[in-house]
Amino acid sequence: MSTAIINISSLVTNDTSLGAGPLGLVQDAAVVIDGDRIAWVGETSKAPATDNRVDAGGRSGLPGFVDSHSHLVFAGDRTAEFNARMSGESYRAGGIRTTVAATRAASDAALEAGLVRFVHEAVRQGTTTLETKSGYGLTTADEARALRIAAAHVDEVTYLGAHVVAPEFDNDPEGYVALVTGEMLDACAPYAGWIDVFCERGAFDGDQARAVLEAGKARGLQLRVHANQLGPGPGVRLAVELGAASADHCTHLTDADVDALAQGDTVATLLPGAEFSTRAPWPDARRLLDAGVTVALSTDCNPGSSFTSSMPFCIALAVRDMGMTPDQAVRSATAGGAAALRRTDVGRVSPGARADLILLDAPSHVHLAYRPGVPLVSAVWRQGVRQV
């Protein structure tokens, strides 16, 4: 069955061959979906005949959001920690252990129910491609079950056994690295496409991070890195050196870090929800964009430092506090996220792409930043099926 969505006031395609400017904007647009793919894009007056028609009624359209960084398999929450932080305490990587204890104690059914709830929450807000990680089990069995549960519900799954050193290895961090790169990797690799490491003080140093990433790469996993969130460090340059798809956070960057990103193909994934929730300095997105770096925006949805699943909220923060224009933020939340996952089938609305499309109850994508906090997403198609 084919469906034409017509009378879209302004459509972001992210395909400059289809429309104006870097977003490939098409005015008074129509999109034809055939199965799970985009079959045609153009002006409504030129739309071909289809089995069905949906009238967008002058709403604007854009690709479904690509959230390339989240942590959704966990139990419990960290309300008390958030409350304390908002009262003046600082964010520390070790707070992850609170979630580790709750996650280990939770049943598979409870973890899966939580994941499904967050996935549905994200879809309602326009996210159609989602990555999520393990990292709250830190034992071989708990990391493997987190990934097994995630793989049943999300597009992209990342092994993050190297989130922090497990409490049992407080006095033997190298022993934990050996576990992460050995037995735990063997158990987790079948469920994951990616490997990640938190390269940060309080987590893993540059040498430990390198060992984790090289072990994962040898097992055929693609690389991602939590880098330069809490302060300057080796994470970004290590990510570029090893050919990681994405260096995530990028809050504290030196000129050498920016130069490395500009000269490589590693995407800088910015996570403004984390800065919002920790009162940390904002990443300088404009500095990265001006240097020619590909930038992605993602939620970092997790119970400790960024408990939001809302890509529209992150777009608004990026425009208000990180130096992005509305066009740049929308592109980073769609095509940028696709680049961070090395996907070419999502993040765009053009023939051959996966049929992921959202409509906003607004005449332009600019309203995502112009009307922050307003539930503007009025319709969502994912793989050609209407979800909202």
Side-chain angles (χ1 to χ4, degrees), residues 246-259:
S246 182
D248 298 22
H249 286 289
C250 296
T251 309
H252 299 273
L253 299 180
T254 65
D255 289 345
D257 295 326
V258 175
D259 288 345

PDB file of all heavy atoms in Angstrom, residues 246-259:
ATOM      1  N   SER A 246      31.633   8.322  16.829  1.00  0.00           N
ATOM      2  CA  SER A 246      31.156   9.473  17.574  1.00  0.00           C
ATOM      3  C   SER A 246      31.941   9.646  18.866  1.00  0.00           C
ATOM      4  O   SER A 246      32.276   8.670  19.542  1.00  0.00           O
ATOM      5  CB  SER A 246      29.667   9.296  17.901  1.00  0.00           C
ATOM      6  OG  SER A 246      29.150  10.409  18.587  1.00  0.00           O
ATOM      7  N   ALA A 247      32.242  10.906  19.201  1.00  0.00           N
ATOM      8  CA  ALA A 247      32.739  11.294  20.516  1.00  0.00           C
ATOM      9  C   ALA A 247      31.626  12.082  21.176  1.00  0.00           C
ATOM     10  O   ALA A 247      31.193  13.108  20.645  1.00  0.00           O
ATOM     11  CB  ALA A 247      34.007  12.135  20.398  1.00  0.00           C
ATOM     12  N   ASP A 248      31.153  11.610  22.321  1.00  0.00           N
ATOM     13  CA  ASP A 248      29.913  12.122  22.906  1.00  0.00           C
ATOM     14  C   ASP A 248      30.169  12.933  24.175  1.00  0.00           C
ATOM     15  O   ASP A 248      30.976  12.536  25.011  1.00  0.00           O
ATOM     16  CB  ASP A 248      28.981  10.955  23.219  1.00  0.00           C
ATOM     17  CG  ASP A 248      28.579  10.183  21.966  1.00  0.00           C
ATOM     18  OD1 ASP A 248      29.302  10.272  20.972  1.00  0.00           O
ATOM     19  OD2 ASP A 248      27.551   9.502  21.991  1.00  0.00           O
ATOM     20  N   HIS A 249      29.485  14.035  24.280  1.00  0.00           N
ATOM     21  CA  HIS A 249      29.548  15.092  25.297  1.00  0.00           C
ATOM     22  C   HIS A 249      30.359  16.255  24.741  1.00  0.00           C
ATOM     23  O   HIS A 249      29.807  17.304  24.472  1.00  0.00           O
ATOM     24  CB  HIS A 249      30.107  14.606  26.647  1.00  0.00           C
ATOM     25  CG  HIS A 249      29.135  13.764  27.415  1.00  0.00           C
ATOM     26  ND1 HIS A 249      28.001  14.290  28.002  1.00  0.00           N
ATOM     27  CD2 HIS A 249      29.129  12.446  27.680  1.00  0.00           C
ATOM     28  CE1 HIS A 249      27.333  13.329  28.613  1.00  0.00           C
ATOM     29  NE2 HIS A 249      27.988  12.183  28.413  1.00  0.00           N
ATOM     30  N   CYS A 250      31.688  16.125  24.641  1.00  0.00           N
ATOM     31  CA  CYS A 250      32.515  17.182  24.040  1.00  0.00           C
ATOM     32  C   CYS A 250      32.284  18.545  24.690  1.00  0.00           C
ATOM     33  O   CYS A 250      32.229  19.578  24.021  1.00  0.00           O
ATOM     34  CB  CYS A 250      32.259  17.280  22.533  1.00  0.00           C
ATOM     35  SG  CYS A 250      32.729  15.804  21.607  1.00  0.00           S
ATOM     36  N   THR A 251      32.155  18.533  26.008  1.00  0.00           N
ATOM     37  CA  THR A 251      31.878  19.769  26.742  1.00  0.00           C
ATOM     38  C   THR A 251      33.135  20.604  26.922  1.00  0.00           C
ATOM     39  O   THR A 251      33.082  21.837  26.849  1.00  0.00           O
ATOM     40  CB  THR A 251      31.270  19.432  28.117  1.00  0.00           C
ATOM     41  OG1 THR A 251      30.177  18.532  27.944  1.00  0.00           O
ATOM     42  CG2 THR A 251      30.783  20.684  28.823  1.00  0.00           C
ATOM     43  N   HIS A 252      34.263  19.952  27.172  1.00  0.00           N
ATOM     44  CA  HIS A 252      35.524  20.653  27.443  1.00  0.00           C
ATOM     45  C   HIS A 252      36.527  20.287  26.359  1.00  0.00           C
ATOM     46  O   HIS A 252      37.151  19.223  26.400  1.00  0.00           O
ATOM     47  CB  HIS A 252      36.054  20.260  28.821  1.00  0.00           C
ATOM     48  CG  HIS A 252      35.134  20.609  29.946  1.00  0.00           C
ATOM     49  ND1 HIS A 252      35.142  21.842  30.563  1.00  0.00           N
ATOM     50  CD2 HIS A 252      34.150  19.890  30.546  1.00  0.00           C
ATOM     51  CE1 HIS A 252      34.228  21.862  31.507  1.00  0.00           C
ATOM     52  NE2 HIS A 252      33.599  20.695  31.519  1.00  0.00           N
ATOM     53  N   LEU A 253      36.680  21.176  25.368  1.00  0.00           N
ATOM     54  CA  LEU A 253      37.533  20.878  24.221  1.00  0.00           C
ATOM     55  C   LEU A 253      38.669  21.885  24.112  1.00  0.00           C
ATOM     56  O   LEU A 253      38.461  23.093  24.247  1.00  0.00           O
ATOM     57  CB  LEU A 253      36.718  20.913  22.927  1.00  0.00           C
ATOM     58  CG  LEU A 253      35.559  19.918  22.800  1.00  0.00           C
ATOM     59  CD1 LEU A 253      34.878  20.093  21.459  1.00  0.00           C
ATOM     60  CD2 LEU A 253      36.044  18.491  22.981  1.00  0.00           C
ATOM     61  N   THR A 254      39.862  21.376  23.838  1.00  0.00           N
ATOM     62  CA  THR A 254      40.990  22.235  23.499  1.00  0.00           C
ATOM     63  C   THR A 254      40.973  22.506  21.998  1.00  0.00           C
ATOM     64  O   THR A 254      40.239  21.862  21.227  1.00  0.00           O
ATOM     65  CB  THR A 254      42.311  21.561  23.876  1.00  0.00           C
ATOM     66  OG1 THR A 254      42.471  20.371  23.066  1.00  0.00           O
ATOM     67  CG2 THR A 254      42.338  21.173  25.355  1.00  0.00           C
ATOM     68  N   ASP A 255      41.804  23.425  21.560  1.00  0.00           N
ATOM     69  CA  ASP A 255      41.928  23.671  20.122  1.00  0.00           C
ATOM     70  C   ASP A 255      42.380  22.406  19.399  1.00  0.00           C
ATOM     71  O   ASP A 255      41.928  22.124  18.285  1.00  0.00           O
ATOM     72  CB  ASP A 255      42.921  24.803  19.863  1.00  0.00           C
ATOM     73  CG  ASP A 255      42.386  26.172  20.277  1.00  0.00           C
ATOM     74  OD1 ASP A 255      41.157  26.289  20.487  1.00  0.00           O
ATOM     75  OD2 ASP A 255      43.205  27.111  20.392  1.00  0.00           O
ATOM     76  N   ALA A 256      43.262  21.627  20.045  1.00  0.00           N
ATOM     77  CA  ALA A 256      43.739  20.384  19.423  1.00  0.00           C
ATOM     78  C   ALA A 256      42.609  19.378  19.267  1.00  0.00           C
ATOM     79  O   ALA A 256      42.550  18.634  18.272  1.00  0.00           O
ATOM     80  CB  ALA A 256      44.878  19.786  20.252  1.00  0.00           C
ATOM     81  N   ASP A 257      41.685  19.338  20.233  1.00  0.00           N
ATOM     82  CA  ASP A 257      40.525  18.450  20.118  1.00  0.00           C
ATOM     83  C   ASP A 257      39.660  18.845  18.926  1.00  0.00           C
ATOM     84  O   ASP A 257      39.232  17.989  18.137  1.00  0.00           O
ATOM     85  CB  ASP A 257      39.674  18.508  21.391  1.00  0.00           C
ATOM     86  CG  ASP A 257      40.386  17.982  22.623  1.00  0.00           C
ATOM     87  OD1 ASP A 257      41.194  17.044  22.486  1.00  0.00           O
ATOM     88  OD2 ASP A 257      40.132  18.514  23.714  1.00  0.00           O
ATOM     89  N   VAL A 258      39.381  20.134  18.810  1.00  0.00           N
ATOM     90  CA  VAL A 258      38.540  20.608  17.704  1.00  0.00           C
ATOM     91  C   VAL A 258      39.218  20.331  16.370  1.00  0.00           C
ATOM     92  O   VAL A 258      38.578  19.880  15.410  1.00  0.00           O
ATOM     93  CB  VAL A 258      38.225  22.111  17.868  1.00  0.00           C
ATOM     94  CG1 VAL A 258      37.445  22.631  16.659  1.00  0.00           C
ATOM     95  CG2 VAL A 258      37.427  22.353  19.150  1.00  0.00           C
ATOM     96  N   ASP A 259      40.526  20.585  16.299  1.00  0.00           N
ATOM     97  CA  ASP A 259      41.263  20.315  15.059  1.00  0.00           C
ATOM     98  C   ASP A 259      41.195  18.840  14.690  1.00  0.00           C
ATOM     99  O   ASP A 259      41.028  18.480  13.515  1.00  0.00           O
ATOM    100  CB  ASP A 259      42.722  20.742  15.207  1.00  0.00           C
ATOM    101  CG  ASP A 259      42.891  22.257  15.230  1.00  0.00           C
ATOM    102  OD1 ASP A 259      41.938  22.956  14.846  1.00  0.00           O
ATOM    103  OD2 ASP A 259      43.966  22.716  15.649  1.00  0.00           O
TER     104      ASP A 259
END
